[in-house]
Amino acid sequence: MRYKQQVVVAIVTGLIGLTACVVALPGRAHGAITASCASHVQITGIQKWASWNAVAVLPDGNYAVAGSFSGAADFPPALTSTSNSQDAVVAKIDAATCSAIWVRTLSGSGYAYGFGVATDAAGSIYATGQFSAPGTIGNITLTNRGLNDAWVAKWSSAGDLLAAWSLGGASSDGANAILVRDGRVYVAGWTAGPWNAGGGMIPGGTGRAGTAFVAVYTSDAGNFLDEVHWDSPKNEIAWALDMDAARNLLVGGTFGGTSDPPGATIDFNGGSAVSGGITLVSAGEADIWLANLDSTLDHALWARRFGGTSSDALGGFELDAAGNLYVAGSFRGAATGAVSETCTTGDGCLVLMSLDAAGVKRWSHSWSAASPLADVALDVAVSGDRVWMTGMLVNALDFGTGPLTPGGAYDAFAAQFDLAGNATGAVRWPSAFTDRGKALAAVGSGVVAVGQFYDSIDFGCAGCVFQRQPSTSGEGWIARLTDGVVPPTVPPIATLTPQPIATATNTEIPTVPPRTPTWTRTVVPTATLPAGCAPGTPVSCPEGSHPWQPPQ
């Protein structure tokens, strides 16, 4: 626990008195989740739209986001997509205002999406996604090999393009997640046929999105280093990446597909018991899979599945400082595997689970509603001693902090939990149409969230009410969320006052020594005083310099 209860007492003694000064700083109290800033992409044009799909926090405290848009968009600056479909877009966002510092695009004659974004210690921004036709990023032209390929690009903190490359084959390929560590770029996605990550053609799936992969490149110029993939005659897709302190790579996604019978497989370490192979077998149409690969990517330390007889989906996952994994997703029916949960809603329920560093269950929770419609979890983030989840809700739901009332359709939401899985806060932004929270990144004591709305959305802060333009199909949003921390209070100083010393005289005994005084004492609660604060003078601590201070 971050806050330890302790007593700090300053004692001054004198000949006839004693004073006790006690400063009590109560622990953290969580209130409603609030937004401190928010922004949106203003779109014009019939059936045109924009969406932010991924977010990362930069070393300077600002944000990097990736998404896509079509039509005329005002980020600002004002940009117009070059095709009748979508352009991929990457932006650096000012943390104080949630507005764009600079915006870059991948534009071509087909569609392009931005699905993942990451940063390095220098503040460079890396992004990945999918494109379907030759397109340009700055002064670099990327050419797809087939139906669609994955793309990767790197910009400096100032927005200068430093590198861009593509990977894929003659069929359908794409990338969903990107991670940068120790001078390496890790890209996760899928391919449906023979493909080339940069080291030559590799046999791929069998005409469907049948191969999940991770490809590795140098972070300076995108030179190919390595790749690992898992073939299947059915759908296998990699959706998320993270890395632990030992440089083991966490990868996850789904395997099997809609209308597939049970029995889809995904094999790690060659599927051989002799080589320590691990084979996961789906229980239904599509299951969630998670794997922890060692630093060589050649060996899975553990692998887990989660799912039931229907179709299930991974929203996202993230590690905490202790190496525990937090996973958010959606499922139907009775699901087993890494954990066991039951969904009583016809079309889908939310699940949040935590596994330890060995992939063993710590805890899990799921939420069902009395409706045939599905609630969906799309991402999770760990911020200090809190776990955040976002996605879209259609049902009235209570995570444990009070009911969240629907707005009429799918609403974006954010929910917060402690590291033991207990709910500590939740917020829902009601709307008449389909809205969603798509991604989260930890910042300060809260998160920055991104997503999309289709009509209007109100985040509750000044200038944070947004309305889409008529005839458009949706706009992207960004919001900085905090957990409504209640500032600590300092109770009045308690003093201990001695009773008057009694004396006596006697005609036979000239002097009687003073009696031993008795004292009354007021007991005050124990509390916490942050290191560096002078007892009795908490106002001398610089604002924001201690964890008990309210977030800025």
Side-chain angles (χ1 to χ4, degrees):
M1 186 174 71
R2 180 184 296 176
Y3 305 97
K4 296 181 179 179
Q5 297 296 323
Q6 61 182 7
V7 180
V8 180
V9 181
I11 302 176
V12 180
T13 60
L15 178 62
I16 60 171
L18 177 150
T19 300
C21 172
V22 180
V23 179
L25 300 178
R28 188 176 182 176
H30 293 267
I33 294 172
T34 58
S36 57
C37 77
S39 68
H40 73 127
V41 181
Q42 188 75 67
I43 292 291
T44 56
I46 298 175
Q47 300 299 310
K48 304 303 181 183
W49 58 276
S51 175
W52 291 124
N53 302 323
V55 61
V57 177
L58 299 165
D60 63 6
N62 292 316
Y63 316 139
V65 293
S68 56
F69 78 102
S70 62
D74 187 3
F75 290 91
L79 299 172
T80 302
S81 62
T82 58
S83 73
N84 290 324
S85 190
Q86 296 91 28
D87 285 359
V89 60
V90 176
K92 182 175 180 179
I93 304 297
D94 187 308
T97 62
C98 291
S99 59
I101 297 173
W102 53 256
V103 179
R104 302 292 183 264
T105 63
L106 166 56
S107 304
S109 57
Y111 64 78
Y113 302 109
F115 290 144
V117 70
T119 185
D120 62 18
S124 301
I125 295 174
Y126 304 74
T128 194
Q130 185 186 49
F131 71 111
S132 66
T136 58
I137 302 178
N139 60 354
I140 298 177
T141 298
L142 300 179
T143 301
N144 58 309
R145 299 173 177 86
L147 294 178
N148 38 65
D149 281 5
W151 64 269
V152 186
K154 174 185 178 181
W155 293 266
S156 70
S157 179
D160 300 319
L161 182 65
L162 302 178
W165 65 96
S166 64
L167 57 152
S171 191
S172 179
D173 318 294
N176 295 314
I178 188 167
L179 176 75
V180 183
R181 292 287 191 280
D182 303 326
R184 295 188 171 198
V185 179
Y186 299 81
V187 179
W190 80 95
T191 179
W195 64 298
N196 188 346
M201 291 302 294
I202 302 168
T206 57
R208 300 177 64 184
T211 299
F213 71 81
V214 175
V216 189
Y217 304 89
T218 62
S219 62
D220 54 356
N223 297 314
F224 175 78
L225 293 174
D226 198 3
E227 68 84 27
V228 61
H229 62 277
W230 304 277
D231 294 327
S232 172
K234 300 180 180 180
N235 291 343
E236 290 180 0
I237 301 176
W239 286 106
L241 290 170
D242 205 349
M243 183 172 284
D244 66 19
R247 297 301 185 263
N248 300 315
L249 188 69
L250 276 296
V251 192
T254 56
F255 69 115
T258 303
S259 301
D260 280 344
T265 60
I266 182 168
D267 296 329
F268 300 94
N269 309 338
S272 167
V274 175
S275 63
I278 303 172
T279 300
L280 302 179
V281 181
S282 69
E285 295 178 351
D287 281 7
I288 295 170
W289 64 270
L290 307 164
N292 188 359
L293 309 179
D294 68 13
S295 58
T296 69
L297 304 185
D298 294 330
H299 181 72
L301 303 176
W302 56 260
R304 303 286 185 267
R305 53 158 290 278
F306 171 78
T309 58
S310 191
S311 185
D312 313 301
L314 174 68
F317 61 66
E318 189 162 300
L319 292 162
D320 67 12
N324 299 311
L325 186 66
Y326 302 84
V327 185
S330 308
F331 73 106
R332 301 175 182 177
T336 61
V339 302
S340 295
E341 292 287 343
T342 300
C343 174
T344 59
T345 301
D347 210 25
C349 298
L350 307 177
V351 63
L352 180 65
M353 69 183 83
S354 178
L355 309 180
D356 66 17
V360 177
K361 173 186 173 179
R362 297 177 63 235
W363 52 261
S364 66
H365 298 295
S366 63
W367 296 270
S368 299
S371 165
L373 301 177
D375 298 312
V376 181
L378 293 174
D379 201 15
V380 66
V382 181
S383 182
D385 60 357
R386 293 293 179 262
V387 180
W388 294 70
M389 179 171 63
T390 193
M392 48 199 294
L393 298 179
V394 66
N395 300 300
L397 209 65
D398 187 348
F399 290 101
T401 58
L404 299 176
T405 304
Y410 278 97
D411 301 328
F413 78 93
Q416 183 199 66
F417 309 82
D418 63 23
L419 298 184
N422 302 303
T424 54
V427 63
R428 178 177 190 156
W429 300 287
S431 173
F433 292 91
T434 300
D435 301 343
R436 65 200 74 190
K438 290 191 170 184
L440 298 168
V443 55
S445 65
V447 292
V448 54
V450 300
Q452 185 181 36
F453 71 98
Y454 282 82
D455 182 51
S456 62
I457 194 164
D458 182 355
F459 291 102
C461 50
C464 301
V465 180
F466 307 129
Q467 177 74 49
R468 72 174 174 88
Q469 294 296 300
S471 302
T472 60
S473 296
E475 299 180 352
W477 58 263
I478 303 169
R480 166 70 184 273
L481 305 178
T482 57
D483 60 356
V485 174
V486 177
T489 58
V490 179
I493 294 175
T495 59
L496 303 183
T497 305
Q499 294 180 351
I501 298 175
T503 60
T505 59
N506 189 290
T507 56
E508 298 179 0
I509 304 175
T511 305
V512 178
R515 294 184 304 179
T516 302
T518 58
W519 309 88
T520 60
R521 181 180 180 186
T522 301
V523 179
V524 296
T526 60
T528 301
L529 182 67
C533 297
T537 56
V539 294
S540 66
C541 300
E543 185 176 3
S545 64
H546 296 288
W548 58 268
Q549 293 281 355
Q552 303 303 306

